[in-house]
Amino acid sequence: MSHTKPRINGVRLGAYLFSYALALLMIAPLLWMLISAFKQPGSTVTVLSKLFNSPFSLDSFAKVLKPDGTAMMWRWTLNSVIVGVVQTAVTVVFSSWAAFAVSRIQFKGKTIIFAVILMGMMVPVESIVVPLFEMVTAMGWSNSYSALIWPGMMLPLAFLILKQFIDQLPGELLEAAKIDGAGMFRIWWKMIWPLSRSSMAAVSIFIFIQSWNNLLWPMLVAQDNSMMTLPVGIPTFQSIFATDLAVPMASNVLASLPALLVFLLFQRHIIKGISMTGIK
């Protein structure tokens, strides 16, 4: 019995080629950034022939990581890590508490609270920046971690994702815990927290990447060079080397590594946490 390989028709072949072309178009700027980062400072990276003919070097990375009074790459990275980790941890816990309360606790005004939280998803951040900045300034939080962290610790999307997951948990489990005498916090700690780890991991990735890439708010409240985060500090660093594109590209590569590493390590939790396939 002969077996013939399935032929790829013209439509499928065209779809494949179109998909590959789109993928190449999307990664081309990233490849250009990566190749330019490994060129010597002052190299011409805007001409394709000179980009590949010039020698590769780590001098641009050495120049970026060299501590001085203006380019504080290590300090900016530390600030971004502190802000991202604290915002992620606190937002996940607060969102989980709020989602558990709205989903499983009966109290007056629950529907109104749920609607108000969802309305927060429709309010542009730019529309509340000015009053929020005046509030932070009046509290004396300018140029501090408090100003960088606290205003960004509530994310309606995190609440919505966790609530949708908690809604699918069998009510019999919670009723059995109540019969055994468990309070609300113990139910959350012993049951909700372990069962929703996948959703929390997915939410944590979104929160961390959003915090890591946040530019507008840190740019307003972190005027001091030592309190800048990477998105704010890198443009300042690039202005110092305005005629040198290799050095700014190296700084962008280094700034992308932590967020990329977090995504690669926990990417399987994104689909697993959001798919909401139910409980076995």
Side-chain angles (χ1 to χ4, degrees):
M1 183 176 180
S2 61
H3 297 278
T4 59
K5 296 182 179 180
R7 296 181 179 179
I8 300 178
N9 56 35
V11 176
R12 182 176 296 181
L13 178 61
Y16 286 155
L17 294 177
F18 181 72
S19 300
Y20 293 148
L22 285 180
L24 181 61
L25 184 64
M26 294 181 64
I27 66 174
L30 299 178
L31 292 177
W32 176 63
M33 178 183 70
L34 186 62
I35 295 174
S36 301
F38 285 93
K39 297 299 181 178
Q40 293 181 349
S43 300
T44 302
V45 297
T46 55
V47 181
L48 192 61
S49 58
K50 295 182 179 180
L51 177 64
F52 288 98
N53 292 333
S54 59
F56 288 89
S57 173
L58 295 176
D59 293 343
S60 296
F61 289 96
K63 198 169 186 178
V64 169
L65 297 176
K66 181 181 179 181
D68 56 37
T70 53
M72 306 173 63
M73 195 71 180
W74 292 107
R75 178 68 182 185
W76 298 338
T77 304
L78 177 63
N79 293 339
S80 294
V81 170
I82 293 175
V83 174
V85 171
V86 175
Q87 279 190 350
T88 301
V90 177
T91 302
V92 168
V93 174
F94 283 179
S95 299
S96 179
W97 287 347
F100 174 58
V102 174
S103 176
R104 294 297 181 175
I105 301 177
Q106 299 298 328
F107 58 91
K108 293 182 179 181
K110 183 173 72 171
T111 304
I112 298 176
I113 293 177
F114 179 63
V116 170
I117 295 177
L118 291 184
M119 288 172 61
M121 299 179 62
M122 297 180 286
V123 178
V125 177
E126 293 79 7
S127 63
I128 61 174
V129 162
V130 174
L132 192 60
F133 176 77
E134 293 178 352
M135 184 184 303
V136 169
T137 304
M139 298 175 66
W141 282 4
S142 298
N143 286 315
S144 67
Y145 286 117
S146 298
L148 291 171
I149 294 174
W150 285 101
M153 288 199 309
M154 292 305 298
L155 186 63
L157 179 61
F159 162 81
L160 181 61
I161 293 176
L162 294 177
K163 181 185 179 300
Q164 294 297 322
F165 182 85
I166 296 175
D167 286 342
Q168 293 188 0
L169 296 178
E172 293 79 4
L173 293 176
L174 304 182
E175 292 298 330
K178 292 179 181 179
I179 294 174
D180 290 339
M184 289 300 175
F185 181 79
R186 187 176 180 183
I187 292 176
W188 175 83
W189 177 250
K190 293 296 185 179
M191 300 182 65
I192 303 300
W193 178 268
L195 291 175
S196 58
R197 284 180 180 175
S198 296
S199 297
M200 290 184 181
V203 170
S204 298
I205 295 173
F206 294 142
I207 298 172
F208 182 82
I209 294 179
Q210 176 177 308
S211 175
W212 189 268
N213 295 328
N214 190 13
L215 171 65
L216 178 60
W217 181 250
M219 183 173 59
L220 292 176
V221 299
Q223 294 88 9
D224 189 73
N225 203 25
S226 61
M227 289 304 300
M228 291 181 178
T229 57
L230 281 172
V232 181
I234 287 178
T236 305
F237 183 87
Q238 185 172 350
S239 65
I240 301 173
F241 305 96
T243 60
D244 187 0
L245 294 180
V247 175
M249 288 300 181
S251 65
N252 282 281
V253 169
L254 293 176
S256 303
L257 289 179
L260 180 62
L261 181 62
V262 170
F263 177 80
L264 292 178
L265 290 177
F266 301 100
Q267 61 178 337
R268 63 186 181 91
H269 293 289
I270 295 180
I271 299 177
K272 183 178 179 182
I274 299 180
S275 58
M276 309 297 181
T277 55
I279 307 299
K280 293 183 179 180

